[in-house]
């Protein structure tokens, strides 16, 4: 995947984030806190039963690229590329499960028959809190309805990682705590059932 003409531009409005500034008093001190208001999201740990593999997505993320370039923190990694769970913003008037299934279809081309709620997470306490609802779904080739790859210019690559190869695989990618949490949850809750 190649990107051209990548440059920073100024903006006054975004439908995705809103800068906020609050002032308050604490212990007789005047304080200011800046943060961004962001949308909540859903993520799905997908397990392909026939391939005995997790299904992840690989995509270019401008904030990751910027952080790596700005902090010169990229060693042998592909700059800006992340391996993630299938995920999406809650930006439609649909249930969380419907949004999660839609994202699975758009990003990886599979439509899970059943989603199991794992947990809700809150992240970004200092810079912009959002809630991420995490689900699990087992899929097989009968659930494939498209090639995936994303919509609206997204360039998403589908990645299959066998269960026994995950730990080695995870040592060579940008660390993502949600991936590791999902893997450990699977080992604890689902491994005996699916393997």
């Amino acid at each position: 995947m190649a990107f051209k003409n990548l440059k920073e531009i100024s903006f006054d409005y975004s439908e995705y984030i809103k800068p906020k500034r609050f002032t308050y008093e604490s212990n007789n001190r005047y304080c200011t806190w800046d943060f961004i208001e962001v949308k909540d999201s859903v993520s799905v740990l997908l397990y392909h039963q026939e391939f005995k593999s997790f299904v992840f997505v690989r995509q270019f993320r401008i904030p990751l690229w910027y952080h790596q370039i700005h902090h010169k923190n990229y060693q042998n990694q592909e700059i800006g590329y992340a391996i993630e769970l299938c995920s999406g913003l809650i930006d439609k008037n649909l249930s969380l499960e419907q949004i999660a299934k839609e994202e699975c279809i758009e990003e990886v081309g599979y439509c899970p028959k059943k989603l199991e709620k794992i947990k809700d997470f809150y992240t970004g306490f200092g810079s912009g809190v959002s809630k991420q609802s995490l689900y699990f779904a087992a899929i097989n080739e009968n659930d494939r309805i498209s090639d995936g790859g994303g919509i609206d210019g997204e360039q998403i690559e589908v990645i299959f990682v066998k269960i026994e190869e995950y730990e080695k695989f995870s040592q060579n990618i940008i660390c993502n705590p949600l991936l590791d949490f999902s893997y450990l949850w699977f080992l604890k809750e689902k491994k005996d059932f699916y393997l």
Side-chain angles (χ1 to χ4, degrees), residues 41-76:
S41 62
V42 294
S43 292
V44 185
L45 172 62
L46 291 167
Y47 174 70
H48 196 295
Q49 294 170 291
E50 293 160 339
F51 299 165
K52 296 192 180 328
S53 298
F54 295 121
V55 184
F56 301 137
V57 298
R58 177 183 176 270
Q59 59 187 320
F60 183 70
R61 297 295 203 176
I62 292 283
L64 175 60
W65 169 86
Y66 179 82
H67 190 275
Q68 288 176 300
I69 293 294
H70 189 70
H71 294 284
K72 295 179 177 47
N73 182 17
Y74 40 85
Q75 287 103 19
N76 297 325

Side-chain angles (χ1 to χ4, degrees), residues 38-195:
V38 294
K39 294 182 181 293
D40 293 337
S41 62
V42 294
S43 292
V44 185
L45 172 62
L46 291 167
Y47 174 70
H48 196 295
Q49 294 170 291
E50 293 160 339
F51 299 165
K52 296 192 180 328
S53 298
F54 295 121
V55 184
F56 301 137
V57 298
R58 177 183 176 270
Q59 59 187 320
F60 183 70
R61 297 295 203 176
I62 292 283
L64 175 60
W65 169 86
Y66 179 82
H67 190 275
Q68 288 176 300
I69 293 294
H70 189 70
H71 294 284
K72 295 179 177 47
N73 182 17
Y74 40 85
Q75 287 103 19
N76 297 325
Q77 300 159 340
E78 260 191 302
I79 299 173
Y81 285 89
I83 306 294
E84 307 170 21
L85 298 179
C86 182
S87 302
L89 295 176
I90 300 171
D91 58 358
K92 301 172 189 140
N93 192 21
L94 299 171
S95 72
L96 296 181
E97 291 80 8
Q98 288 172 307
I99 293 173
K101 281 188 178 186
E102 231 179 50
E103 292 298 331
C104 291
I105 294 166
E106 292 170 5
E107 293 187 0
V108 299
Y110 291 90
C111 182
K113 292 179 186 73
K114 180 183 173 191
L115 290 167
E116 176 184 341
K117 179 82 172 273
I118 297 176
K119 193 172 191 168
D120 289 330
F121 293 89
Y122 290 84
T123 59
F125 297 122
S127 60
V129 173
S130 67
K131 180 174 85 168
Q132 188 167 42
S133 297
L134 178 61
Y135 291 87
F136 169 76
I139 56 172
N140 58 50
E141 284 304 288
N142 291 330
D143 299 319
R144 179 183 282 280
I145 61 172
S146 74
D147 291 334
I151 60 169
D152 299 330
E154 290 177 316
Q155 296 178 20
I156 294 174
E157 179 184 352
V158 181
I159 304 286
F160 294 90
V161 178
K162 295 211 172 286
I163 305 303
E164 64 274 12
E165 296 171 1
Y166 177 80
E167 291 188 23
K168 183 177 180 185
F169 171 82
S170 69
Q171 293 172 5
N172 299 310
I173 62 173
I174 302 279
C175 184
N176 181 328
L178 190 58
L179 278 185
D180 284 347
F181 173 86
S182 299
Y183 168 69
L184 294 172
W185 176 89
F186 181 87
L187 291 182
K188 181 175 181 252
E189 301 293 334
K190 299 295 180 184
K191 184 178 179 185
D192 292 340
F193 185 72
Y194 287 108
L195 299 180

